[in-house]
Amino acid sequence: MAKARATIFFCKECGHESAKWMGQCPGCRAWNTFVEAPSQKAGISGVRAGSAGRGGSTAAGRFLAAGELRPRLLSEIETSGEVRISTGMEELDRVLGGGLVGGSLVLVGGDPGIGKSTLLLQVCRNLSGDGHRILYISGEESLSQIRLRADRLGEFSGDLFFLCETSLDLISDVIVREKPEAVVIDSIQTMYREDAGSAPGSVGQVRESTQTLLRLAKENNITIFIVGHVTKEGTMAGPRMLEHMVDTVLYFEGERNVPYRILRGVKNRFGSTNEIGVFEMRGNGLSEVANPSEYMLSGKPEGASGSVTACSMEGTRPVLLEIQALVCRTNFGMPRRTAAGTDYNRVNLLLAVLEKRAGMHFSDCDVYVNIAGGIRVNEPSLDLGIVMALASSHRDVPVDDQMMVFGEVGLSGEVRAVNMAEKRVQEAAKLGFTTCILPDVCLSRIPAPPQGIRLIGVKNVREAMDLIGR
């Protein structure tokens, strides 16, 4: 009689394990989130403790003394200098925190056709051209399809190897034998392990496959990129704990009708989680956008009412954007409100502030607000730009084209301080703006403003309204 296979149940939201199925998870209190998966083999656990560069003397991070595990004091842990490998793309290096770290596991997600495979293939080309040994493993495309894409990207050189396989048991043997410095897995939803006992792409398979790749990365000091599918809501497909297991999570964002793409880091154990990289999709692949502000402001109309230049911070990078507003009389009893690229509820809040604190009436007007270029930003520092764009369109008086604004607006109509004001002013001066409207409390934080730009501090929205048309 065959022996029954041991199984466990775990919550796909928080990873809580149980010997039996439960309707409600006792960890995160979510309902119907427990799924069945084979129990892990002995020896797989404990991999995280031995990641490269974090002081582990063995691959599993276990320090054995007389046959027992011995915890170590912080002063006993040795740290080696963190060596970064440049990907050859400054935008990607910025999001990664300065480059690739050996032994790291990087998850890259995005909508179908957004350019994930193209980006990683270009990274492989750059790394192999710099003398690194790279392995690209595809479970979705044949070798001939990869060759067609590679021909569009340009010339390839160096030790760049390709493999089409979905069995992680075979892939693991190839990685250990070939000893590459970086590996690309495209995609994790197509990979499977024989002992997992479920179809590729299922919750159990994704979890077990990621655990296997995690062990390979840490034990062999290999940087592994994992391509992940996303759901229709835009979140990563598979168990939520997939994002907890990896070191870095990158989201590739963009619209099909706009040429630029934004690579956003939402988790990074080796750097900031607020950085973005901007790329432009061209016929020969992705091209870096070194100056996103200039790119976003291209085509901005001159002398048009309802158009205001504002500044948003993406991590440590200031990005200038054009805020457009259109206010017109409604033809129906119910006025219409539309917001594209920013929070709809935030726009309604700012409209209420203008009515109450500035005496402007929008009850019989349709209001449309748009962030030009298709980018989506929810930073509070855009509040003052939205307010001035609405007032400019309502009065049909243009705002000075050489003026940039930023600041958060409160419910009392006050203009509140925002962070990194000096960097925002420096970016405006670099692009040739001559006037900057900012919160009055931020003036003291800019001891030496750049030459050629005039700073005007405002305390409330009424003072900002008086500057329209000047």
Side-chain angles (χ1 to χ4, degrees):
M1 181 177 179
K3 185 179 179 180
R5 183 179 59 190
T7 59
I8 60 173
F9 295 87
F10 72 95
C11 175
K12 61 184 180 181
E13 294 294 334
C14 68
H16 183 86
E17 294 186 357
S18 173
K20 62 179 181 178
W21 185 88
M22 290 187 291
Q24 185 182 31
C25 174
C28 63
R29 315 304 297 176
W31 288 92
N32 298 323
T33 57
F34 270 84
V35 294
E36 182 181 356
S39 60
Q40 295 182 351
K41 294 182 179 180
I44 294 181
S45 63
V47 174
R48 177 64 65 185
S51 61
R54 293 186 223 178
S57 62
T58 64
R62 300 184 176 191
F63 305 94
L64 303 180
E68 296 181 358
L69 293 175
R70 181 176 69 87
R72 305 183 74 182
L73 295 172
L74 183 63
S75 59
E76 298 177 343
I77 301 176
E78 298 178 358
T79 58
S80 57
E82 193 177 83
V83 179
R84 299 270 186 171
I85 301 176
S86 175
T87 62
M89 307 178 79
E90 294 183 2
E91 294 295 307
L92 178 58
D93 287 344
R94 178 187 291 106
V95 180
L96 291 173
L100 300 179
V101 177
S104 60
L105 191 62
V106 181
L107 177 62
V108 182
D111 294 332
I114 203 68
K116 303 183 296 296
S117 300
T118 301
L119 174 67
L120 293 179
L121 191 56
Q122 289 183 240
V123 171
C124 291
R125 179 187 63 178
N126 296 339
L127 291 173
S128 62
D130 290 339
H132 301 285
R133 190 176 179 86
I134 311 299
L135 178 60
Y136 188 102
I137 301 174
S138 176
E140 299 179 344
E141 297 177 298
S142 64
L143 291 177
S144 60
Q145 289 176 310
I146 298 176
R147 177 60 187 272
L148 290 174
R149 179 188 289 115
D151 290 340
R152 295 195 300 268
L153 299 181
E155 296 184 1
F156 283 70
S157 61
D159 295 335
L160 175 56
F161 301 92
F162 296 90
L163 176 67
C164 290
E165 183 55 59
T166 57
S167 173
L168 270 177
D169 299 316
L170 299 177
I171 290 173
S172 300
D173 295 338
V174 173
I175 293 176
V176 173
R177 184 180 70 246
E178 297 294 334
K179 295 180 174 58
E181 296 179 58
V183 176
V184 174
I185 304 293
D186 188 7
S187 65
I188 190 61
Q189 276 78 15
T190 62
M191 301 296 149
Y192 72 93
R193 286 182 51 180
E194 293 287 351
D195 56 352
S198 56
S202 62
V203 171
Q205 280 286 5
V206 171
R207 179 177 184 241
E208 295 296 321
S209 298
T210 305
Q211 182 68 48
T212 300
L213 295 171
L214 177 65
R215 186 179 72 254
L216 285 171
K218 305 306 176 184
E219 291 180 353
N220 299 280
N221 197 31
I222 300 173
T223 300
I224 299 181
F225 286 93
I226 300 176
V227 177
H229 297 168
V230 296
T231 63
K232 61 182 180 180
E233 289 82 15
T235 58
M236 202 71 69
R240 186 68 177 179
M241 66 178 304
L242 172 65
E243 299 186 29
H244 292 283
M245 295 170 67
V246 301
D247 296 304
T248 305
V249 180
L250 307 179
Y251 275 90
F252 212 33
E253 305 171 355
E255 301 291 340
R256 292 184 178 272
N257 56 346
V258 294
Y260 69 85
R261 304 285 188 266
I262 295 178
L263 185 67
R264 192 183 304 273
V266 297
K267 175 188 176 181
N268 192 353
R269 290 194 172 107
F270 307 110
S272 173
T273 57
N274 296 318
E275 298 290 350
I276 66 166
V278 183
F279 301 86
E280 183 181 3
M281 179 62 77
R282 297 180 178 178
N284 59 347
L286 290 163
S287 176
E288 299 179 79
V289 178
N291 192 339
S293 298
E294 186 177 4
Y295 184 85
M296 295 297 177
L297 293 178
S298 60
K300 183 179 181 296
E302 297 182 359
S305 62
S307 176
V308 174
T309 301
C311 184
S312 172
M313 291 298 300
E314 296 291 347
T316 59
R317 165 187 280 186
V319 179
L320 299 188
L321 307 167
E322 180 192 358
I323 299 177
Q324 298 176 335
L326 178 62
V327 179
C328 56
R329 297 293 178 183
T330 182
N331 294 322
F332 305 96
M334 183 70 67
R336 188 173 181 179
R337 305 284 187 263
T338 302
T342 188
D343 185 36
Y344 171 81
N345 294 322
R346 191 72 181 177
V347 172
N348 283 333
L349 183 148
L350 296 175
L351 286 172
V353 171
L354 283 176
E355 289 212 10
K356 182 71 174 181
R357 308 300 178 186
M360 305 181 70
H361 301 288
F362 298 92
S363 58
D364 57 347
C365 297
D366 293 333
V367 177
Y368 307 89
V369 176
N370 175 50
I371 307 296
I375 191 172
R376 182 165 186 84
V377 184
N378 290 324
E379 194 190 8
S381 64
L382 297 185
D383 288 354
L384 188 58
I386 295 175
V387 164
M388 294 191 68
L390 289 170
S392 171
S393 180
H394 186 268
R395 299 177 180 177
D396 199 19
V397 177
V399 177
D400 185 7
D401 294 327
Q402 301 301 315
M403 179 184 292
M404 190 273 288
V405 304
F406 64 87
E408 180 183 357
V409 176
L411 293 181
S412 298
E414 78 279 12
V415 180
R416 308 176 69 91
V418 297
N419 62 340
M420 301 185 186
E422 188 172 4
K423 283 192 174 182
R424 300 173 196 259
V425 173
Q426 290 174 351
E427 181 71 9
K430 185 173 67 175
L431 292 180
F433 287 85
T434 58
T435 307
C436 179
I437 299 178
L438 69 163
D440 186 69
V441 294
C442 289
L443 288 175
S444 59
R445 304 180 185 179
I446 311 176
Q451 294 183 354
I453 189 168
R454 182 169 61 106
L455 304 184
I456 303 177
V458 293
K459 297 180 179 179
N460 51 60
V461 293
R462 284 187 175 273
E463 293 183 8
M465 298 301 100
D466 295 337
L467 298 175
I468 296 177
R470 288 190 181 183

